[in-house]
Amino acid sequence: MVAIILAAGKGTRMKSNLPKALHPICGKPMTRYVIDACRASGVEECIVVVGHGAEEVRAALGEDVKYAVQKEQKGTGDACRAALELLPGYEGSVMVLAGDVPLLDPEVLKELAKEQASSGMAATMLTTILPEGGGHYGRVIRGADDTVEKIVEAKDATPSELAVNEINAAIYCFNLPLLRKYIDELTPANAQGEYYLTDVIGLMVADGHKVGAVITEDPNIVLGVNNRVDLSYLTGIVRRRIIERLMLSGVTVTDPSTTYVDDDVEIGMDTVIQPMTVLEKGCKIGKNCTIGPSARISGTVVEDGATVLLSNIVDSTVGEGCKIGPFAHIRPGCTLGKKVKLGNFVEAKNAELEDAVSVGHLSYIGDARVGEHTNIGAGTITCNYDGYKKHHTEIGKNVFVGSHNTMVAPVKVGDGSLTAAGSVITRDVPADALAIARSEEIIKIGWAKRRREQKDTE
Ligand code: UD1
Ligand code: CA
């Protein structure tokens, strides 16, 4: 089976510079959902019709599909014709889908293909009943024998046609030679001046062919996205689907209504996702973790048993049993070993923290490597930037960095050494040494008392 996916439209009603096909739903471009549903239903080849923003759409959707180009957006019929040019000599059936109907169920696509194969009709289309009324969708007009007679777009419909609540999902399975024949007969004589793919159905029937329909009972799977209200509605449906899938696979989600998980995120068994948590861009969260409340984790691997509380983590790896937060900020390029602790107001960037490193409070660790079991005292800063270039700080294992240290990079602090509180470390510290880099304390006995007595008598 071959599928043609129409995604050349500008998506005028989205009011956006981003082509409609690429508007993400839970992190995945809308049209990618259509491709994935086709694949899951057994479609071997997908041809995506691109036009508006063609290069951008291609780059985002990937190269596992073929692309046809519709130069001018003259309607869905014209878009479909552009794809047919890539299928010369092909005689079987072809599925045609809209790139803006993303919630498709692969099982329903299979049913549509099966129905088309067994009925031998010219086309089989997917429809649904919208009890509240058909809105802007094309209406399915049925003939005396209850087969489909034609589709009328809402903008072209008479009042009695508008009252029909069976709508066209814009998902069809066509006999390819017949589709080729009738697509060439389309004219743009309608309210929108476009070549409507939907008119092919009427032309087929008028010529004595039969068109059938599979009616799906779940209207959600055929909802289209035409504006950002639709987009948020569909996002809500996908979001709940993802969270339900996770819960059924053994993840506790305390409050689904404030949990946002991208489609490509994986979470292990017995992990608890607390409220107000956002997991994005292919995060892989292990087993027995506690994530949230209020965690945003993007593009990151979090290994088993870690906890992340009130923190932001991007493009990093968090090892087994780490304790992150509250209020930690882990920026791209960090690798945390096992049982690393990053406490409140700690920021890390491009840093490797080996097993059991502890950075408890108010620190910045950037462009650095910290060896295992090293403790970084509160308020420590790696000065990685000299105003021109970034420099590296290397802190060994079993080091005790006193509170409020300033590591002026490039600098190395050897294994097992100790740096005194308040030090500004500018020279390398050898292993097992003590570095004190602060001015010596001066004590003036009785000075404060004398001052007090003087001020009190003034
Ligand atoms: C279409 C159907 C309507 C159906 C609805 C279901 C037609 C004429 N109407 O209406 O019966 O109920 O879908 O969601 O087909 N496209 C192109 N090139 C173009 C125009 C559109 O590739 O020149 C693509 C769009 O990118 C989009 C899809 O075709 O992915 C549907 O186009 P759209 O304009 O959204 O059609 P609707 O008005 O929603
Ligand atoms: Ca649409």
Side-chain angles (χ1 to χ4, degrees), residues 42-369:
V43 166
E44 287 129 18
E45 190 174 353
C46 292
I47 300 175
V48 180
V49 184
V50 292
H52 181 78
E55 284 316 305
E56 199 182 347
V57 175
R58 258 186 103 129
L61 292 182
E63 290 302 326
D64 62 332
V65 294
K66 282 191 176 162
Y67 290 94
V69 178
Q70 183 195 23
K71 288 196 192 77
E72 248 182 281
Q73 279 65 69
K74 294 190 287 192
T76 48
D78 181 66
C80 186
R81 186 162 37 202
L84 292 181
E85 287 168 16
L86 295 189
L87 295 169
Y90 188 91
E91 297 293 304
S93 317
V94 64
M95 195 123 60
V96 180
L97 308 97
D100 64 350
V101 179
L103 302 192
L104 296 169
D105 177 350
E107 292 307 314
V108 172
L109 295 183
K110 276 188 204 165
E111 199 186 324
L112 189 71
K114 219 168 100 192
E115 182 66 24
Q116 169 68 9
S118 65
S119 73
M121 290 192 182
T124 307
M125 51 184 292
L126 185 64
T127 73
T128 196
I129 313 285
L130 295 179
E132 314 271 281
H136 59 265
Y137 291 98
R139 304 300 200 270
V140 179
I141 310 300
R142 292 192 177 248
D145 65 351
D146 216 32
T147 55
V148 177
E149 186 182 304
K150 60 178 175 177
I151 303 166
V152 182
E153 289 305 295
K155 285 183 180 155
D156 301 293
T158 63
S160 68
E161 287 168 339
L162 267 186
V164 171
N165 56 15
E166 182 178 10
I167 59 102
N168 169 30
I171 291 144
Y172 325 80
C173 200
F174 285 103
N175 170 300
L176 184 50
L178 291 177
L179 174 62
R180 262 201 205 101
K181 174 166 188 244
Y182 291 101
I183 215 163
D184 284 334
E185 292 181 17
L186 291 177
T187 63
N190 53 54
Q192 303 186 79
E194 288 183 358
Y195 295 88
Y196 289 165
L197 179 60
T198 45
D199 285 348
V200 164
I201 304 287
L203 290 169
M204 286 173 163
V205 174
D207 225 11
H209 296 287
K210 290 243 175 270
V211 173
V214 168
I215 306 176
T216 172
E217 273 166 24
D218 180 1
N220 280 348
I221 67 170
V222 296
L223 293 178
V225 176
N226 292 313
N227 55 45
R228 302 204 200 212
V229 178
D230 298 336
L231 183 69
S232 86
Y233 186 74
L234 267 72
T235 299
I237 295 171
V238 176
R239 191 159 79 78
R240 270 189 302 281
R241 279 188 189 174
I242 293 169
I243 290 170
E244 276 168 24
R245 163 167 56 80
L246 289 169
M247 293 193 290
L248 293 173
S249 74
V251 176
T252 292
V253 178
T254 318
D255 181 14
S257 70
T258 62
T259 303
Y260 301 79
V261 182
D262 274 1
D263 188 66
D264 56 1
V265 168
E266 293 167 22
I267 306 178
M269 210 170 74
D270 288 324
T271 281
V272 179
I273 307 294
Q274 298 279 25
M276 290 174 291
T277 289
V278 180
L279 303 173
E280 303 172 333
K281 298 203 170 76
C283 279
K284 288 190 174 41
I285 313 286
K287 292 179 280 191
N288 299 310
C289 295
T290 302
I291 309 295
S294 291
R296 184 260 188 163
I297 309 180
S298 177
T300 290
V301 175
V302 177
E303 280 158 9
D304 298 350
T307 63
V308 178
L309 168 63
L310 288 143
S311 291
N312 184 42
I313 306 178
V314 181
D315 297 342
S316 289
T317 299
V318 173
E320 213 177 296
C322 282
K323 287 194 176 1
I324 310 300
F327 311 113
H329 184 189
I330 301 181
R331 292 167 51 203
C334 289
T335 306
L336 277 50
K338 293 184 183 139
K339 296 195 169 171
V340 170
K341 221 186 126 213
L342 240 78
N344 38 229
F345 309 111
V346 171
E347 174 181 345
K349 183 217 78 171
N350 186 32
E352 188 186 344
L353 309 185
E354 291 182 351
D355 293 354
V357 164
S358 177
V359 193
H361 335 263
L362 301 147
S363 291
Y364 172 64
I365 307 296
D367 299 309
R369 201 179 71 83

